[in-house]
Amino acid sequence: MTNNLDTVKILSIDGGGVRGLIPCIFLDHLRKELDSFGNKTPFYNLFDVISGTSTGSLISLMLIKPPKDYTDYERLDLLMNLYESGTKEIFPEAKIEICQTIKHLFRPKYTGKPLKKLLRQNFRNLTLRDSLCNLIIPTYDMISMRPYLFKQRIDIKDYYDNFLLKDVGLSSSAAPTYLPPANIRSLTGGQHYCFVDGGIFCNNPSLCAYTYAKKLYPNAKQFIIVSLGTGEYVRTYECKKVKKWGIYGWMNPLNGIPLLTAYMDSQMESDNYIINSMDDVKEYRFEISLNGMSSELDDSSDRNIDFLKGKAAELILSNSKKIKQLTKLLNI
């Protein structure tokens, strides 16, 4: 890797549970567009930094894991199968909905065991140091009560603490109230952590990725950021109801956990504002509204999966010119 690039390319993928299917379908389309221009460079070489939060971290990890001869199409096929089928194991439908709702008030909604199994099957004993691209994955440590960023730089293999990739994915996707925190340890120093979903402070990791890229490439003159959303859903609340909320009202899972949603949405808006104010950044943000359908990160029903596929197709169609522009830029 050379640290003297003039232009640095960054791929950033939001969190969003099963909605991660949308960026997967988008990346599959982008891969085909690049191929049509004769650009066969795999994503782990095309981008200089890859970042993802929560479900975005799982996509990122799949894109950067060895072996090198594992094609982008093969990686994306595995991911799309995970979202279409595997999420039904991770987020199983309750036999008695009211029982699961009551349980959700006092403990995580799901056990997390199917997710651990899927991560173990896909990443085995691979570690951050095996990454094929510079990587940054946000998570949050409940022991120190501080954000934590999993990092890997391919020019200096032992620069940061090392972790198993399956533990990185488990940590960044441990959504509070849905999945239990990840109790893992560093392979380097043996320190134990209690990690939860990085989405609580960095659901859109574009700014984290940009900051990291600035450190890796201090002489770069331009940073191209491909930022992929997982669908946005505007939920509104009546003030007369909000006035009556106590702890339960603000954290009510039946009402979308308003406090957590507000934190995540405001972070994404503020980070987008900051990114777009940077003179050396050219951002290509791809996002689409999910209004009219469930925005729940755990809705793995066939009906919702089909809806998400349709939304991905709509996103691609409505941004066809923008995608062509991006493809040409990535070919430079």
Side-chain angles (χ1 to χ4, degrees), residues 15-81:
V18 298
R19 305 199 312 266
L21 180 59
I22 293 175
C24 282
I25 294 174
F26 180 91
L27 285 170
D28 185 70
H29 178 77
L30 180 61
R31 179 70 271 163
K32 291 171 183 173
E33 286 289 315
L34 289 164
D35 287 353
S36 71
F37 276 84
N39 188 342
K40 305 292 183 180
T41 307
F43 286 137
Y44 62 77
N45 276 338
L46 182 68
F47 292 100
D48 302 296
V49 175
I50 293 180
S51 181
T53 298
S54 193
T55 199
S57 75
L58 302 184
I59 300 171
S60 299
L61 293 173
M62 186 63 77
L63 293 179
I64 58 83
K65 81 164 194 170
K68 289 185 176 181
D69 59 358
Y70 205 40
T71 71
D72 287 334
Y73 291 118
E74 289 173 320
R75 297 169 191 272
L76 291 166
D77 281 346
L78 284 171
L79 281 165
M80 285 191 271
N81 183 63

Side-chain angles (χ1 to χ4, degrees), residues 161-218:
D161 275 1
N162 197 22
F163 293 86
L164 292 167
L165 291 186
K166 59 187 177 185
D167 285 344
V168 175
L170 188 67
S171 300
S172 185
S173 57
T177 78
Y178 288 96
L179 294 165
N183 183 11
I184 69 170
R185 68 180 181 85
S186 163
L187 298 177
T188 310
Q191 185 174 351
H192 283 267
Y193 297 89
C194 181
F195 288 129
V196 297
D197 194 331
I200 66 172
F201 80 97
C202 189
N203 203 50
N204 175 352
S206 294
L207 187 58
C208 283
Y210 166 71
T211 304
Y212 186 46
K214 291 278 282 187
K215 179 179 180 180
L216 294 177
Y217 303 95

Side-chain angles (χ1 to χ4, degrees), residues 1 5-12 34 39 41-51 133-135 206 209-210 212-214 216-217 220-227 280 282 284 326-332:
M1 182 186 82
L5 295 178
D6 285 335
T7 300
V8 174
K9 301 166 185 175
I10 300 169
L11 174 62
S12 171
L34 289 164
N39 188 342
T41 307
F43 286 137
Y44 62 77
N45 276 338
L46 182 68
F47 292 100
D48 302 296
V49 175
I50 293 180
S51 181
C133 180
N134 294 313
L135 185 73
S206 294
Y210 166 71
Y212 186 46
K214 291 278 282 187
L216 294 177
Y217 303 95
K221 297 177 181 178
Q222 184 180 49
F223 295 83
I224 299 171
I225 302 178
V226 181
S227 178
D280 58 355
K282 187 173 184 63
Y284 285 82
L326 172 62
T327 304
K328 291 179 181 178
L329 195 59
L330 291 177
N331 275 314
I332 297 175

Side-chain angles (χ1 to χ4, degrees), residues 4 13 17 60 69 131 142 150 232 235 270 274 284 304 317:
N4 295 315
I13 309 170
S60 299
D69 59 358
S131 302
M142 294 301 295
F150 293 109
E232 58 183 356
R235 188 189 295 266
S270 62
I274 294 171
Y284 285 82
N304 193 49
L317 183 62

